[in-house]
Amino acid sequence: MKKKKSKKIQPNSNLKDQKLGQTKNSAKLVLFVFGIGPIIGIIIFLYSKGFFNAPNI
């Protein structure tokens, strides 16, 4: 009886670990998109306006 109960508990803990892993990965993805995305957008915008070109004197 005890062995059967321990077998039932283990898959539940594995499912919880998988859910935690998915939420960690999605949190990392959201932070990456909202953290790096605007920086890349600003760089592209400034490059299109000629911000990185050498000034002609």
Side-chain angles (χ1 to χ4, degrees):
M1 294 300 284
K2 288 182 181 178
K3 289 182 181 179
K4 289 182 182 178
K5 287 183 181 179
S6 65
K7 286 181 182 178
K8 288 181 182 178
I9 292 171
Q10 287 176 351
N12 289 338
S13 63
N14 289 339
L15 289 174
K16 288 180 183 178
D17 291 341
Q18 288 175 357
K19 288 180 182 178
L20 285 175
Q22 288 175 358
T23 55
K24 286 182 181 179
N25 289 338
S26 63
K28 288 179 183 179
L29 180 66
V30 168
L31 287 174
F32 180 77
V33 168
F34 287 102
I36 304 299
I39 294 171
I40 293 172
I42 290 168
I43 290 171
I44 292 170
F45 174 76
L46 291 174
Y47 183 78
S48 69
K49 297 296 180 183
F51 181 78
F52 296 107
N53 294 336
N56 294 330
I57 299 173

